[in-house]
Amino acid sequence: MFSRTFISMLAVAVLASGSVSAQAPDQRTLDQQAQREVVSGLEAALKQNYVFPDRIPAISAELGRQVRSEPVDADQFADHLSRGMMKASRDLHFSVAFDPEEVAANRQAKATGDGTTQARRDVERAANFGFRDARRLEGDLAYIRFDFFADPQYAQDTATGAMRFAEGAKGIIFDLRYNNGGMLEMAQLLMSYLYPAGKEQEFFDYNYAEDGKRVERGQWNLAAVPGQRSGDVPVVILTGSTSFSAAEWMAFSLQRLGRATVIGEQTAGGAHPVTRVPVDDRFMLQVPIGQIRDPIKGEDFEGVGVTPDLAVPASGALLAAQKFLLQSRANAGDTDAAWALVPVEFAISGRLPSAADLDEAAGAYEGRTLVRTPTGLAYHWRDRFVLALDPIGKDLFAVQGSDDYRFRLVRAGGVVTGLERVEKSGETSVYRRLD
């Protein structure tokens, strides 16, 4: 069934690399006749599954050019076939893998009606189903990073656990800069959290091949999700040049629906749904089987990618997203947002205090001391408590472990004469310098 076939390119690579090492050397070497048989199997699979039959002749011609008169290594041959298919079709979703064990597992999974093989589930579970980070940022922002879309049948608890971090947040950031795609049902689950209960919203329109038939359907938000929804919370999606497939669709659809702002770089441009089919007993083919369209304009981004609303280098997208979400609130008079915006803007500026500035700040103050460390400054008081300080502005330092107060150096005539404690509430206390 198509709903379980939107495969991550990353997962394919991991599974292939993890299961072929046990193959005997003679199985890994293909003579000219064996190469032709693989190409013939690929052509048959294309005719049965590929969404664009008019492109098959060009792909077949390219496959034929990959056949060599001399024996070739099976993995190298698969790689050459993959590159040839992508070149001839201009579709990055094509992939061929030499993986006898995965072929057997795939056939067994289909025979039992399961959408994924046990080997793939083991890989995904070991990687926490793609979820790398879920935390709260200063200014009541929730940040969630995941690097592939796992099968929600097995990953739902992990995904909903990550979404718990978004409950009560005043802004949500989904980091898809390094996400290679996967099952769109995971996107459907996560996106459903962004709409209030009772509101029906279509996310994607499909048409695809299944058992030799063309199927058309839509994918909508789920009627129920575990935990609380965040239906009116501003959302930002971070993208990069390696954001691919399902990651692009989540960004594209929410952007078209006006539900999220996309910040980062143009994405890779892989819009087609795919399935994986055995070519023979040794080779697997990943092949595009259909098209997806957004529910607003009926378009996709194949070969083009998703264009961000705010284009910035991917490396700086998180800071840009924090500023975007905090600035609007600060402009509206939100003092918590204004407080959280200070270190973000300082980080974006790229300014750092010089070693001389830090050396000058080190010294004794009333009841406390600033001590120079290899990485900056440390705050000591009562001869036993120590907290590191992070520069967040000109003569301004955040206190690691607390966002309730900060320290600012007091200067007179360019000389440091005191240390001012600045509370989030606006209250201040000044400690005179003693040395």
Side-chain angles (χ1 to χ4, degrees):
M1 183 176 178
F2 169 72
S3 65
R4 319 218 63 84
T5 58
F6 206 92
I7 302 295
S8 163
M9 297 291 283
L10 177 62
V12 171
V14 170
L15 287 173
S17 64
S19 59
V20 300
S21 58
Q23 301 304 316
D26 59 337
Q27 290 183 285
R28 301 178 62 91
T29 303
L30 307 177
D31 60 19
Q32 187 178 45
Q33 179 59 33
Q35 296 172 49
R36 287 174 174 165
E37 291 173 358
V38 173
V39 168
S40 178
L42 286 170
E43 291 172 338
L46 287 172
K47 291 176 182 178
Q48 185 173 0
N49 296 281
Y50 188 35
V51 63
F52 301 115
D54 58 308
R55 300 182 188 178
I56 293 178
I59 299 174
S60 295
E62 183 63 33
L63 291 174
R65 285 191 283 271
Q66 302 302 324
V67 176
R68 300 289 183 266
S69 58
E70 68 276 6
V72 297
D73 175 79
D75 285 325
Q76 292 181 353
F77 189 54
D79 181 63
H80 292 159
L81 293 172
S82 298
R83 294 174 183 272
M85 297 179 85
M86 287 188 283
K87 174 184 176 182
S89 66
R90 302 181 302 281
D91 193 319
L92 299 176
H93 268 115
F94 271 115
S95 175
V96 182
F98 173 72
D99 198 341
E101 292 181 9
E102 177 63 11
V103 169
N106 178 276
R107 287 172 172 167
Q108 181 180 5
K110 288 186 177 180
T112 60
D114 203 338
T116 57
T117 66
Q118 184 62 49
R120 182 183 173 199
R121 292 198 295 273
D122 290 343
V123 169
E124 291 187 345
R125 185 174 292 107
N128 199 39
F129 297 105
F131 286 86
R132 296 286 298 272
D133 198 357
R135 55 193 164 99
R136 297 299 284 264
L137 305 175
E138 302 301 342
D140 297 322
L141 303 180
Y143 170 81
I144 300 172
R145 171 185 166 182
F146 56 105
D147 292 353
F148 61 87
F149 288 74
D151 187 342
Q153 179 177 345
Y154 306 100
Q156 176 174 300
D157 287 347
T158 302
T160 57
M163 290 305 296
R164 294 285 185 181
F165 282 86
E167 293 181 0
K170 295 181 180 178
I172 303 173
I173 301 171
F174 289 104
D175 191 347
L176 305 184
R177 288 175 291 178
Y178 318 104
N179 192 303
N180 297 128
M183 291 193 170
L184 212 54
E185 283 69 28
M186 176 59 78
Q188 180 187 26
L189 170 62
L190 297 173
M191 292 165 68
S192 294
Y193 278 92
L194 307 180
Y195 287 85
K199 176 178 173 57
E200 294 186 352
Q201 177 61 62
E202 186 179 16
F203 295 147
F204 316 106
D205 276 322
Y206 292 97
N207 71 83
Y208 59 93
E210 184 178 79
D211 299 327
K213 302 177 181 178
R214 297 303 299 176
V215 179
E216 294 186 7
R217 71 180 181 92
Q219 192 174 64
W220 296 69
N221 64 317
L222 301 175
V225 294
Q228 299 178 12
R229 295 175 183 258
S230 302
D232 58 352
V233 177
V235 175
V236 168
I237 296 180
L238 309 184
T239 59
S241 62
T242 56
S243 302
F244 188 67
S245 195
E248 296 178 274
W249 268 115
M250 181 172 172
F252 188 68
S253 181
L254 289 175
Q255 182 188 55
R256 281 290 169 90
L257 291 168
R259 186 61 188 90
T261 300
V262 179
I263 296 178
E265 296 177 2
Q266 193 88 2
T267 64
H272 296 150
V274 300
T275 192
R276 300 185 72 216
V277 295
V279 176
D280 53 22
D281 290 337
R282 298 174 295 176
F283 286 84
M284 290 287 295
L285 168 66
Q286 178 169 281
V287 53
I289 59 172
Q291 292 177 287
I292 307 176
R293 302 292 186 185
D294 80 83
I296 305 301
K297 296 183 179 180
E299 298 176 344
D300 69 8
F301 47 83
E302 178 64 29
V304 177
V306 181
T307 301
D309 298 296
L310 176 58
V312 299
S315 59
L318 177 55
L319 286 171
Q322 290 175 263
K323 181 177 180 179
F324 174 82
L325 291 169
L326 293 170
Q327 187 74 68
S328 59
R329 287 167 49 200
N331 291 344
D334 187 325
T335 56
D336 286 342
W339 177 268
L341 186 60
V342 172
V344 171
E345 291 185 321
F346 182 73
I348 291 174
S349 74
R351 297 190 302 268
L352 291 174
S354 67
D357 290 336
L358 297 175
D359 291 339
E360 186 180 8
Y365 300 82
E366 290 180 306
R368 59 220 70 226
T369 306
L370 295 187
V371 177
R372 187 73 163 90
T373 69
T375 57
L377 290 172
Y379 174 68
H380 294 237
W381 83 106
R382 294 184 182 175
D383 298 323
R384 60 182 301 179
F385 302 113
V386 180
L387 290 171
L389 302 183
D390 294 322
I392 58 171
K394 174 60 176 174
D395 290 338
L396 183 64
F397 297 86
V399 181
Q400 287 189 10
S402 176
D403 191 45
D404 295 328
Y405 63 100
R406 296 165 178 168
F407 286 110
R408 186 189 306 276
L409 299 179
V410 178
R411 293 180 181 270
V415 177
V416 176
T417 60
L419 184 65
E420 181 182 35
R421 175 170 169 145
V422 182
E423 305 288 343
K424 182 184 282 191
S425 64
E427 297 178 356
T428 62
S429 302
V430 177
Y431 311 104
R432 291 184 301 111
R433 181 147 192 179
L434 303 178
D435 58 358

